[in-house]
Amino acid sequence: MTVLNIFRDCLDALVHPSVRYDALTSARHRAFMAPRLLGSLAAFAAFPVYLALRGAPSAFEVAAFAWLIAPILLSYFLSRTGRYESAQLLSSLALAGLLMMIAIATGGIESFAAIWLVVVPLEAALSASRRVVAFASALALACVSILIVLSGSHLLPVSEAGAVAHGVFTAFGIASATLYASGLAFGAESLARTGVSLLNVEEDRYRLLARNMSDVISRHRRNGAIQFISPAVEALIGEAPARLLGHGLFDRVHVADRPAYLTALSDAARGGVARSVEFRLRRDSRGGADGRVASAEFIWVEMRCRPLEQGAGPVEPQDVEVVAVMRDVTDRKTQEEALALARTEAERADASKTRFLATMSHELRTPLNAIIGFSEMIVQEDVLMIDAARRKEYAQLINDSGQHLLSVVNGILDMSKMESGSFEITPEPFAPRPAIINCCNLLALKARENGIDLVTDAPQDLPELNGDPRAFKQILLNIVSNAIKFTERGGTVSVTAAVESSRLILRVTDTGVGIGVEDLKRIGDPFFQAGKTYQRRHEGTGLGLSIVKSLVGMHGGDMQVHSRIDEGTTVVIALPLEFAPAVEPASNIATLTPAVRHVPSDHTRQVKKSA
């Protein structure tokens, strides 16, 4: 065993470095060198015995034994260069040359060495090279043909061996050739076993990767049909790989994404380059002992595909296959959508800031200029000779301008409190009809001055409403004043109230200028005003409907706006009759349920009006 280990270590040291880490190729190199080194060493070891028995050798015998050094040289050549096919070709030439030399000297085709020509192509078969096997077969056939021709032409020397000696040599040749062929057979079996073992190792390695990697690997035909898909797909979409073969995966692709899915596979097969596509894939969640589908959802999947290399030979276009790698990118898509939404919101906030500044420059500058101008005139009343009536008029204008500024500031402060969640409401039972009549009476003068008919329809039997009466009046005042503001002379504004289920429905309808479809989507946003800022014909900060929307949300109601350009607008407010404040109110105004601090009914707070 120790000798074998030493010999094995020597063979490992002779293997060329380029193939030392390739198990199968290094096994072929060892299989090439081992029998040649052992055979040559055995022949040299037997040479003294031959001399003792034979006596002085002839020149031919010396040449034959000297020829046995060729296998050692071939092993050295392979060890130094690593050129396995070249070594096999040279080995076939060396063996055929030795056999021809012995056969020519010992009877030609009838020589015991002629049978060894069968070993030449068998030995070449270990190379696993078709070119080497073809060369060795042709060389062996050529040698046989030459021996036949030379024997038939009587050009060879007559063998001096008798019939008995000839029989002995023939038997020796057949036996030795059989033994060598058996060694070649065992060598071939050993190489085959090594190849199978390595193949199993590689299969286990790739199977381990396929089962434990999160990405899904699949093999497709050009039309999208799946021929193989890794087991990771079961964790991805909740379906066994066997049920996805063929067009099973395609049936799970979202209908809108199927063209992109097939196009990517077709382009990869036709164009010969990698393609990438993102699509939605249905994922099943199974529950219960029977494994039925409990729920299904679509997830986002990224697929990278490229053509599959199928050898050096030409492949028909319809036979080109594609290998694809798929991974779940739902989280990334969700983040992208969140980023896009945040970007949109940031752009809207920036636009709102710009509109706010443009609006405030008008809403603040105009009354301030009036206050400064008229106050300066009052200060210089002696110079300007202003009478009492004119002075009273100027004082009234200053008061009106101050009230307008106060209204603007109150609206901004109320909106800021609502956004921060510190706005307080005091819910208590009250009759809504008197509040509606009172609000309409307050705005009746303004409607008459603008030449607008203000119609109120509030039934006598309206039930009590649990809510903040001051907030209720502010909601109604803001909506009705907006309707009057944007209705042309001769138009009509109607206010109706009714009860549907357990909610109070307020409808304020006008025949005014209306609101565009794009602007209608943003009604209720802080500082937003329909139409361009430079096109506005009416003053205002754009906070009226935003405050209304927030107050309605605080009461657990909702607001809807229906409008058409040049046809008018209808605002519908729905408030629950029995309002129960939430224990932990939310703080997002955009959801119509802003954070609000409810105080007991015995605490009062003046809810400021906003124009």
Side-chain angles (χ1 to χ4, degrees):
M1 186 63 67
T2 303
V3 175
L4 289 178
N5 290 335
I6 294 174
F7 185 71
R8 187 180 295 109
D9 293 339
C10 292
L11 283 179
D12 291 338
L14 291 175
V15 173
H16 193 264
S18 63
V19 299
R20 191 164 294 168
Y21 299 103
D22 186 340
L24 183 60
T25 306
S26 62
R28 293 186 185 279
H29 283 220
R30 287 192 293 270
F32 178 88
M33 291 185 288
R36 286 163 178 79
L37 292 176
L38 289 175
S40 298
L41 292 176
F44 282 118
F47 188 64
V49 178
Y50 180 81
L51 292 178
L53 297 176
R54 172 75 174 175
S58 64
F60 171 76
E61 293 171 338
V62 172
F65 274 100
W67 194 271
L68 294 177
I69 199 174
I72 299 177
L73 296 177
L74 290 174
S75 299
Y76 179 79
F77 170 79
L78 179 61
S79 175
R80 290 300 179 183
T81 64
R83 297 168 60 181
Y84 183 69
E85 287 192 8
S86 300
Q88 284 283 5
L89 292 174
L90 293 175
S91 177
S92 298
L93 286 172
L95 180 59
L98 176 63
L99 295 176
M100 285 293 291
M101 184 174 60
I102 296 175
I104 289 173
T106 57
I109 193 65
E110 297 178 356
S111 171
F112 69 92
I115 191 64
W116 271 78
L117 290 174
V118 179
V119 176
V120 175
L122 293 179
E123 184 184 66
L126 295 179
S127 67
S129 171
R130 182 174 298 179
R131 185 179 65 173
V132 173
V133 172
F135 174 79
S137 301
L139 180 63
L141 290 174
C143 291
V144 170
S145 300
I146 291 173
L147 291 176
I148 292 174
V149 170
L150 292 177
S151 298
S153 303
H154 303 288
L155 299 176
L156 299 178
V158 179
S159 175
E160 298 178 358
V164 176
H166 183 270
V168 171
F169 281 123
T170 301
F172 172 76
I174 295 174
S176 60
T178 302
L179 289 175
Y180 191 75
S182 299
L184 293 178
F186 280 110
E189 187 273 337
S190 176
L191 289 176
R193 188 171 61 252
T194 302
V196 171
S197 176
L198 292 175
L199 181 61
N200 291 334
V201 170
E202 290 296 319
E203 287 181 353
D204 292 340
R205 183 180 304 168
Y206 287 119
R207 189 177 295 110
L208 178 66
L209 290 175
R211 287 180 177 177
N212 292 279
M213 68 185 304
S214 58
D215 293 351
V216 177
I217 302 175
S218 54
R219 182 175 179 177
H220 303 253
R221 296 188 64 83
R222 185 172 178 176
N223 62 355
I226 290 182
Q227 295 181 296
F228 164 80
I229 190 165
S230 63
V233 72
E234 189 166 1
L236 181 66
I237 62 174
E239 187 62 272
R243 302 188 63 179
L244 299 175
L245 298 179
H247 293 284
L249 183 67
F250 174 78
D251 295 337
R252 289 177 167 269
V253 177
H254 195 281
V255 175
D257 298 334
R258 290 179 181 179
Y261 169 79
L262 293 177
T263 300
L265 292 173
S266 179
D267 289 347
R270 182 177 62 253
V273 295
R275 289 288 186 271
S276 179
V277 63
E278 294 180 354
F279 55 89
R280 286 161 290 182
L281 198 61
R282 191 178 79 249
R283 176 167 62 189
D284 294 337
S285 297
R286 301 183 181 274
D290 54 357
R292 292 184 179 180
V293 177
S295 62
E297 61 177 347
F298 279 96
I299 61 173
W300 279 98
V301 173
E302 179 188 41
M303 181 178 74
R304 297 180 180 273
C305 48
R306 62 178 180 81
L308 182 65
E309 297 180 1
Q310 297 179 333
V315 180
E316 295 296 330
Q318 64 273 13
D319 295 332
V320 175
E321 296 182 351
V322 175
V323 61
V325 178
M326 292 180 286
R327 64 178 55 182
D328 186 356
V329 294
T330 305
D331 292 341
R332 193 193 74 193
K333 295 292 290 187
T334 302
Q335 293 175 358
E336 290 177 354
E337 292 175 359
L339 287 175
L341 181 60
R343 187 182 300 110
T344 302
E345 291 298 327
E347 292 173 352
R348 291 180 60 180
D350 184 68
S352 297
K353 180 188 69 174
T354 303
R355 284 193 302 271
F356 171 72
L357 293 176
T359 301
M360 289 301 101
S361 66
H362 170 75
E363 297 297 331
L364 297 178
R365 185 182 301 167
T366 301
L368 284 174
N369 286 335
I371 292 173
I372 294 171
F374 289 118
S375 62
E376 286 179 350
M377 293 176 69
I378 292 175
V379 170
Q380 301 176 9
E381 60 179 346
D382 294 336
V383 178
L384 299 176
M385 295 181 293
I386 300 175
D387 56 16
R390 184 63 59 88
R391 186 167 56 252
K392 182 179 180 180
E393 179 185 355
Y394 291 165
Q396 183 62 45
L397 290 174
I398 292 173
N399 181 268
D400 292 342
S401 299
Q403 292 294 335
H404 178 72
L405 282 176
L406 179 62
S407 173
V408 171
V409 173
N410 284 340
I412 295 174
L413 293 177
D414 284 348
M415 196 68 243
S416 299
K417 289 183 178 180
M418 291 177 186
E419 288 184 340
S420 64
S422 59
F423 192 88
E424 301 171 357
I425 64 173
T426 307
E428 61 182 51
F430 69 96
R433 185 176 186 279
I436 296 172
I437 299 300
N438 180 260
C439 291
C440 292
N441 289 338
L442 289 176
L443 296 171
L445 179 60
K446 182 179 179 181
R448 283 197 300 270
E449 290 175 351
N450 292 344
I452 298 171
D453 292 334
L454 180 58
V455 181
T456 305
D457 181 11
Q460 295 283 348
D461 57 349
L462 284 180
E464 281 192 343
L465 177 69
N466 186 35
D468 191 321
R470 289 163 297 279
F472 180 81
K473 289 181 180 179
Q474 187 172 1
I475 291 171
L476 199 56
L477 285 172
N478 281 348
I479 296 177
V480 177
S481 63
N482 266 356
I484 294 173
K485 183 192 301 185
F486 293 101
T487 300
E488 301 294 337
R489 183 173 295 274
T492 302
V493 174
S494 62
V495 181
T496 62
V499 175
E500 295 180 4
S501 289
S502 59
R503 299 195 302 172
L504 175 67
I505 308 298
L506 297 176
R507 286 185 175 85
V508 179
T509 304
D510 64 61
T511 58
V513 295
I515 304 172
V517 176
E518 293 300 323
D519 292 337
L520 197 61
K521 298 176 182 178
R522 302 193 55 192
I523 288 296
D525 290 351
F527 307 109
F528 175 74
Q529 292 176 306
K532 304 295 184 182
T533 300
Y534 55 80
Q535 295 176 340
R536 291 193 300 114
R537 296 180 296 168
H538 308 279
E539 63 181 17
T541 61
L543 291 175
L545 285 180
S546 180
I547 293 175
V548 169
K549 184 177 180 181
S550 298
L551 291 175
V552 170
M554 290 178 182
H555 285 80
D558 60 79
M559 180 182 77
Q560 297 180 1
V561 182
H562 309 281
S563 183
R564 288 187 179 181
I565 295 293
D566 298 329
E567 293 186 12
T569 302
T570 298
V571 180
V572 182
I573 302 293
L575 298 173
L577 294 175
E578 294 296 332
F579 169 58
V583 177
E584 294 181 2
S587 59
N588 187 1
I589 294 178
T591 60
L592 297 184
T593 57
V596 55
R597 182 154 50 95
H598 300 283
V599 300
S601 59
D602 56 348
H603 290 73
T604 60
R605 176 185 180 275
Q606 180 64 34
V607 181
K608 301 175 181 63
K609 298 178 181 179
S610 176

